[in-house]
Amino acid sequence: MGMEKVSGERKKRRMRQKKITAVQKLYDTCKEVFANCGPGVVPSGEGIERLKNILTGMTELDVGVRPNMPYFKIKETEGFPKITYLHLSECDKFSHLPWQIGIFLLPPSGVLPLHNHPQMTVFSKLLFGTMHIKAYDWVDDGGSISLAPKADSSEAEVEPVNVRLAKLKVDSNFTAPCDTSILYPNDGGNMHCFTAITSCAVLDVLGPPYNDPDGRHCQYYRTHPFASFSVDDKKLADGETSENYAWLEEIEKPRGLAVIGAMYNGPKIVEK
């Protein structure tokens, strides 16, 4: 009887293990990986690899999204097509978490304009679709500087612009399935822009989340070519061309940009 009981318990344990969904595994791993992290603190190399491996193996089926959902139908609107955001771990019972899991649903031509991720480590997994990603990193730790744009002699004096130099990190199309991308507080393309070529779904893990009271709010940027200002080329790294650099000007949230929150209806996440 004793051996039969042990065998039965093992079977039950195996059954429980099989029932763990991919999104639950993602949540549980985030809980461990971000346990001792905070603003500007990057998870351990081992933790990063664990999360990356889980995300790389996930598909749209693991979170219950599909290209024929109504969110991807473009309606006639001014400005940007509406983007939908599904919160997987941002509600009352998850509000204390030092990370956030969500899914961006972008219809064709949908754009998330160039924006930053202050003091964050961010994992992004393209679940389906083709997307163009353009991303930059700051060249140094200094703040913005005031520069006057070049002007033709026929033009009136041009007002200076507050800008900061950034280096182009990514400027490519990505089609699912593809590797998980990771950006860090100071590297990996902390400022990026998403442009959907087809309907796209992007699974995102942010650690820590944006927090306005703590000063970690989402900032948007306008790009200016390096040659827009009269600046010494010594600012560029040896052997680099100016095409790999741009001046970023912080701007208000672009008019017409609408990111609408919606209910997540995929496999449930259980807080343990």
Side-chain angles (χ1 to χ4, degrees), residues 12-77:
K12 290 179 181 178
R13 191 180 306 118
R14 284 197 295 268
M15 288 296 290
R16 286 196 297 268
Q17 290 173 345
K18 289 180 180 178
K19 290 180 180 179
I20 298 177
T21 63
V23 73
Q24 181 69 52
K25 187 176 181 181
L26 175 63
Y27 171 85
D28 294 341
T29 304
C30 283
K31 190 172 184 179
E32 297 174 5
V33 170
F34 288 104
N36 298 313
C37 296
V41 179
V42 177
S44 68
E46 179 200 7
I48 288 172
E49 283 302 309
R50 287 176 62 196
L51 276 177
K52 180 181 178 181
N53 289 338
I54 292 171
L55 285 163
T56 296
M58 292 182 69
T59 71
E60 63 269 30
L61 300 178
D62 293 313
V63 289
V65 296
R66 56 194 185 281
N68 63 349
M69 297 176 85
Y71 306 119
F72 298 108
K73 294 180 180 178
I74 300 177
K75 297 179 180 179
E76 292 297 327
T77 59

Side-chain angles (χ1 to χ4, degrees), residues 215-244:
R216 292 197 314 278
H217 57 278
C218 187
Q219 297 167 299
Y220 295 91
Y221 300 92
R222 177 186 296 121
T223 60
H224 299 271
F226 183 83
S228 298
F229 306 95
S230 298
V231 180
D232 194 333
D233 284 355
K234 290 181 180 179
K235 283 186 171 289
L236 307 184
D238 291 341
E240 292 278 5
T241 62
S242 61
E243 287 76 14
N244 293 328

Side-chain angles (χ1 to χ4, degrees), residues 254-267:
R255 292 183 61 185
L257 174 62
V259 180
I260 310 299
M263 183 70 68
Y264 165 70
N265 292 314

Side-chain angles (χ1 to χ4, degrees), residues 110-269:
V111 179
L112 277 173
L114 190 66
H115 61 283
N116 70 340
H117 304 82
Q119 299 179 288
M120 299 179 188
T121 302
V122 181
F123 299 76
S124 296
K125 165 64 176 178
L126 182 61
L127 298 172
F128 60 75
T130 297
M131 170 180 286
H132 185 86
I133 299 177
K134 195 166 190 176
Y136 296 87
D137 285 321
W138 297 125
V139 168
D140 54 45
D141 295 330
S144 61
I145 57 176
S146 180
L147 295 176
K150 291 180 180 177
D152 296 333
S153 57
S154 59
E155 294 181 357
E157 185 175 343
V158 182
E159 290 292 327
V161 180
N162 290 322
V163 293
R164 185 175 174 184
L165 187 61
K167 183 177 180 180
L168 185 65
K169 186 77 175 184
V170 178
D171 188 12
S172 301
N173 289 344
F174 294 84
T175 300
C178 55
D179 290 340
T180 300
S181 67
I182 307 171
L183 61 85
Y184 302 92
N186 300 305
D187 186 38
N190 190 276
M191 288 78 65
H192 68 204
C193 171
F194 288 168
T195 303
I197 297 173
T198 67
S199 295
C200 293
V202 183
L203 177 58
D204 251 15
V205 176
L206 309 177
Y210 290 104
N211 188 306
D212 287 341
D214 289 346
R216 292 197 314 278
H217 57 278
C218 187
Q219 297 167 299
Y220 295 91
Y221 300 92
R222 177 186 296 121
T223 60
H224 299 271
F226 183 83
S228 298
F229 306 95
S230 298
V231 180
D232 194 333
D233 284 355
K234 290 181 180 179
K235 283 186 171 289
L236 307 184
D238 291 341
E240 292 278 5
T241 62
S242 61
E243 287 76 14
N244 293 328
Y245 292 82
W247 297 97
L248 304 192
E249 174 191 1
E250 185 177 340
I251 60 174
E252 295 295 324
K253 179 181 176 181
R255 292 183 61 185
L257 174 62
V259 180
I260 310 299
M263 183 70 68
Y264 165 70
N265 292 314
K268 291 184 179 179
I269 297 176

Side-chain angles (χ1 to χ4, degrees), residues 82-108:
K82 288 184 179 179
I83 294 169
T84 303
Y85 184 76
L86 307 180
H87 298 278
L88 275 69
S89 63
E90 188 181 275
C91 58
D92 291 343
K93 66 178 181 179
F94 294 135
S95 61
H96 64 286
L97 299 178
W99 73 88
Q100 179 177 315
I101 306 173
I103 305 170
F104 286 100
L105 305 178
L106 291 82

